[in-house]
Amino acid sequence: MKPSLDLAGPADAPTPVAATAGLTSHILEDTLVIPYNDADALDRVLQRGDVAAFIVEPAMENIGICLPDPGYLASVREITRNHGTMLIFDEVKTGITAGWSGATGHFGVLPDLVCLAKSIGGGLPLGAFGGSNEVMDGITSGRVLHLGTYNGNPLVMAAAKAVLAEVCTPEATAATIARNRRFLDACDDVIVRAGLPAHTVQLGAKGAVTYSTTPVRNYRDYKATDFDLAFANWIWGINRGILLPPGLDEQWLVSVMHGDDDIAHATEVFASFVDALVG
Ligand SMILES: Cc1ncc(COP(=O)(O)O)c(C=O)c1O
C-alpha cells in the first residue's frame, strides 16, 4: 500500500512492497501489483494462468479520487473472465457513497465479489461482502470457512437495515449527490477565477480538490500532485470548522445530514483559502 516511489519498481510492473511488519516473504511472492487504469498490464499478468483473484477499487479512493478511464472496468471484467480469475471490487469506500448501488451500479460493471464497509453501517462497525451464487456457494457448502465473533451482529445488522432502507434511501442519496455537485461547482468557480493549478473530482457523494492540472489516473500521477498546497488547504479548513480526514489522501463525503448551510460554509472557507493563497 502506497510505497515510496524508490521502492515501488517500474510503473508498468510495480514491485510488491510490505506495508507493515508481520508479513512473510511468501505473501509478497503471492501478490502481484498491477497499475490502475492499465488493462494491458492486467492482461499481461493474468496470462500466467494461475492468478486466483484481481482485487481493485472500482475508483481508487485513498489517493484523493482516481476515476477509471472510460471502458477500463469493462475491460477488466472481460480480461478476468477470459483468464478465469475472480474479479473482486473493494467498495469499502465507494459502497453507497458512489450512488445507492455503489460503484458497481454507477459504472455498470458486475464483479464476482464485492466488499463493503464504512458508510453502509451508518457509523457502526460493519463490513460485508457478497457475490455471485457460484462464489458464495463456497461458504454455504462449508468448503470455505467464514467464522467470526461478530458475524451477523444483530445491532450492526439493524443499523445497516436502517441506513439502506430508511436513512440513505435512493432518493436521499441522489439528493445528497446533487448537493455535493453544487459544492464541487462552487469550488470549480473559485479554482478557475484564481487560475489555481488544481481541479475537482466527484464520485457520488464524495469529492476532492486535487492539486494538479491534469487528472490523476494512477498512484504515480497522485504522487506528482502538490502536497504542500493540499496540506495548506487542509489545515486552513481544520482551523475554520471543516474537519476533513488528516491523511491528505482522503476525500470529503457529503452525508445525508449535511444541509445547504454546510455547503455554503465549506465553499466560503475554500474561497477564503484560495484568496489568501493568491492574494
Ligand atoms: C479501500 C479500502 N479497502 C479496505 C479497507 C479496510 O477495510 P476494513 O477496515 O473494513 O477491513 C480500507 C480502509 O479502512 C480501505 O480504504
Side-chain angles (χ1 to χ4, degrees), residues 26-70:
H26 294 295
I27 290 175
L28 290 186
E29 283 161 26
D30 282 346
T31 305
L32 305 164
V33 182
I34 296 167
Y36 188 72
N37 268 327
D38 187 343
D40 290 342
L42 175 66
D43 196 38
R44 254 193 329 271
V45 169
L46 297 197
Q47 301 276 351
R48 298 165 44 132
D50 65 349
V51 179
F54 177 49
I55 182 161
V56 62
E57 285 184 270
M60 291 177 76
E61 289 197 338
N62 281 303
I63 53 170
I65 300 176
C66 172
L67 294 173
D69 289 346

Side-chain angles (χ1 to χ4, degrees), residues 14 56 68 77 84 93 98 104 107 110 131 152 174 180 209 218 230 234 250:
V56 62
R77 178 64 283 188
K93 296 190 77 173
T104 297
F107 294 114
L110 205 61
N180 188 33
V209 172
N218 56 38
W234 173 79
E250 300 273 354

Side-chain angles (χ1 to χ4, degrees), residues 69-115:
D69 289 346
Y72 171 65
L73 294 177
S75 300
V76 162
R77 178 64 283 188
E78 196 185 327
I79 292 164
T80 48
R81 189 174 284 130
N82 288 346
H83 291 289
T85 295
M86 187 191 294
L87 175 59
I88 305 175
F89 277 175
D90 177 343
E91 288 226 47
V92 164
K93 296 190 77 173
T94 55
I96 210 180
T97 65
W100 197 77
S101 53
T104 297
H106 179 80
F107 294 114
V109 173
L110 205 61
D112 301 301
L113 201 61
V114 63
C115 317

Side-chain angles (χ1 to χ4, degrees), residues 59 61 65-68 97-98 106-107 174 176-185 188 199-210 251-252 254:
E61 289 197 338
I65 300 176
C66 172
L67 294 173
T97 65
H106 179 80
F107 294 114
T176 303
I177 290 172
R179 182 168 284 130
N180 188 33
R181 186 62 255 164
R182 292 196 289 279
F183 180 38
L184 283 148
D185 286 344
D188 282 337
H199 66 280
T200 62
V201 194
Q202 177 183 19
L203 184 58
K206 290 189 164 195
V209 172
T210 296
Q251 58 292 129
W252 69 70
V254 174

Side-chain angles (χ1 to χ4, degrees), residues 181-266:
R181 186 62 255 164
R182 292 196 289 279
F183 180 38
L184 283 148
D185 286 344
C187 292
D188 282 337
D189 282 349
V190 170
I191 289 170
V192 169
R193 252 187 289 125
L196 206 63
H199 66 280
T200 62
V201 194
Q202 177 183 19
L203 184 58
K206 290 189 164 195
V209 172
T210 296
Y211 285 91
S212 68
T213 50
T214 51
V216 165
R217 293 183 60 252
N218 56 38
Y219 178 57
R220 283 163 175 76
D221 288 353
Y222 166 72
K223 291 291 273 184
T225 62
D226 191 324
F227 287 93
D228 290 340
L229 286 181
F231 179 79
N233 187 356
W234 173 79
I235 197 82
W236 184 275
I238 292 293
N239 285 323
R240 289 159 183 81
I242 305 296
L243 306 178
L244 294 185
L248 300 188
D249 43 9
E250 300 273 354
Q251 58 292 129
W252 69 70
L253 168 70
V254 174
S255 100
V256 286
M257 297 303 293
H258 288 124
D260 290 337
D261 288 357
D262 298 307
I263 297 302
H265 177 55

